[in-house]
Amino acid sequence: MRLRPATGDDRDAACALGVAEEIAWFGEAESSAEEVGEWIDDEQALATGVVAADHDDRIRGFASPGRKEAIFLADPALTDALADELLPWLLERRDDLQLMTFAGDAVRVAAFERHGLRHVRSSFSLVRFDRAGPLPEPEFPDGIDVAPYRVGDDDEAVHRLIYVDAAWAAVPGHAERDLEGWREVVKLSGSLSLARRDGRPVGWVAGRVLDSGRGFINTLAVAVGERGRGLGRALLLRAFHDLQAAGVRDMTLGVEAHNENALNLYRSVGMEIEREWRIYGVAPGGLEPPTSPL
């Protein structure tokens, strides 16, 4: 394998690697090449990344330290060889390196551990299948007004709600975005709802229809002082109804595995764990001693 700096011309090949990984893991891709590209673009990964090319100059792997999280994409048939090339490169560029992988990929897990990375935490993909039955109606707490939101209506107040009042980025796996970066992500959502109390934003939910046809909730945020009253559940159900009206049948979202309160909420609306994702990173005292491949 030969490593070289990534360029804009490598974007399609990197996106194709992301799709190929999901096909290997699940039998079919759950993310389109365009959705993988959104992730790569959001991390500005091409500007800081490298590709691994074979002797025919075919792109077999891609890695980038990213802005918020690192990226490692590999031809599933060449995971070990690509890990040996790309993981040392990443470790030289991020002291806080963390990489996510499907928990069922034993080869990749072993490769991460062989390079001294350890299992830091897990997250779950949850899904509410259409077979779960009719959606409950949302019931909002007294004094709450909720309405659809349009980007530009009151962006600074909503941004503050999410990242200050609801401390959304304090949850592992959630990244804080500046106002402009947040606007760019929000524009991809087809369902936006804002809850207010006495005119002040206190709850937010954003969802979209994925290219797979599933509905996806990318942000659910409730101000700390409003929690425990059913607002989060009501906002979630409102988004589900919006997405269902757009033709969606199955709904999905991600949650940290240790977040029992969130898991209980999602189970209460008919969601179930579909799969586990593992985040591997550098141990607090540095890399674990590399393990022998023998």
Side-chain angles (χ1 to χ4, degrees):
M1 292 291 172
R2 174 177 61 89
L3 298 189
R4 63 166 174 78
T7 70
D9 292 338
D10 299 316
R11 185 178 184 276
D12 288 348
C15 293
L17 289 171
V19 172
E21 288 181 349
E22 292 196 351
I23 293 173
W25 289 337
F26 314 133
E28 61 181 0
E30 295 183 353
S31 303
S32 67
E34 290 76 12
E35 288 163 347
V36 176
E38 290 173 13
W39 175 41
I40 290 173
D41 294 344
D42 186 46
E43 290 295 336
Q44 298 178 359
L46 290 171
T48 58
V50 293
V51 294
D54 64 15
H55 65 279
D56 292 325
D57 205 33
R58 290 177 297 179
I59 306 304
R60 299 293 194 159
F62 171 73
S64 173
R67 288 191 304 154
K68 304 178 294 298
E69 61 181 4
I71 294 176
F72 172 84
L73 298 173
D75 182 329
L78 299 170
T79 295
D80 277 337
L82 290 162
D84 291 345
E85 295 287 344
L86 295 173
L87 292 183
W89 184 88
L90 281 170
L91 286 163
E92 289 178 357
R93 285 156 180 81
R94 286 200 76 145
D95 294 333
D96 60 343
L97 179 67
Q98 291 194 354
L99 293 168
M100 178 182 287
T101 185
F102 172 51
D105 189 337
V107 174
R108 185 172 302 210
V109 165
F112 285 1
E113 292 177 346
R114 191 173 70 250
H115 283 272
L117 300 176
R118 69 175 182 88
H119 180 204
V120 176
R121 66 182 195 278
S122 289
S123 64
F124 295 137
S125 294
L126 276 72
V127 62
R128 187 187 195 277
F129 292 107
D130 184 58
R131 63 174 181 261
L135 284 168
E137 292 297 323
E139 298 181 6
F140 287 93
D142 292 342
I144 293 292
D145 297 314
V146 63
Y149 186 84
R150 294 178 302 176
V151 177
D153 284 352
D154 199 2
D155 291 354
E156 291 185 7
V158 176
H159 184 265
R160 178 180 176 82
L161 160 68
I162 296 168
Y163 296 111
V164 178
D165 300 340
W168 192 78
V171 177
H174 290 183
E176 183 163 358
R177 302 176 185 276
D178 62 22
L179 183 59
E180 288 308 311
W182 172 79
R183 283 193 182 111
E184 289 304 309
V185 172
V186 167
K187 289 176 182 177
L188 299 173
S189 298
S191 172
L192 302 171
S193 292
L194 178 63
R196 299 177 185 266
R197 184 182 293 279
D198 299 325
R200 180 174 62 88
V202 294
W204 166 263
V205 66
R208 62 182 290 190
V209 180
L210 299 176
D211 290 343
S212 65
R214 282 183 165 186
F216 175 67
I217 305 301
N218 58 342
T219 309
L220 176 64
V222 175
V224 173
E226 292 287 340
R227 294 177 184 172
R229 302 175 184 176
L231 178 55
R233 186 177 192 272
L235 283 168
L236 182 64
L237 287 170
R238 181 184 176 102
F240 281 177
H241 278 280
D242 279 354
L243 294 170
Q244 195 174 70
V248 165
R249 297 174 64 84
D250 299 338
M251 315 287 179
T252 185
L253 53 75
V255 64
E256 289 295 301
H258 70 272
N259 193 339
E260 287 295 332
N261 288 338
L263 282 167
N264 289 336
L265 165 62
Y266 300 143
R267 286 176 173 134
S268 77
V269 298
M271 304 198 82
E272 58 189 78
I273 293 173
E274 186 172 32
R275 59 181 55 96
E276 177 190 0
W277 300 87
R278 291 184 183 176
I279 296 84
Y280 282 80
V282 177
L287 287 174
E288 298 287 344
T291 57
S292 170
L294 301 179

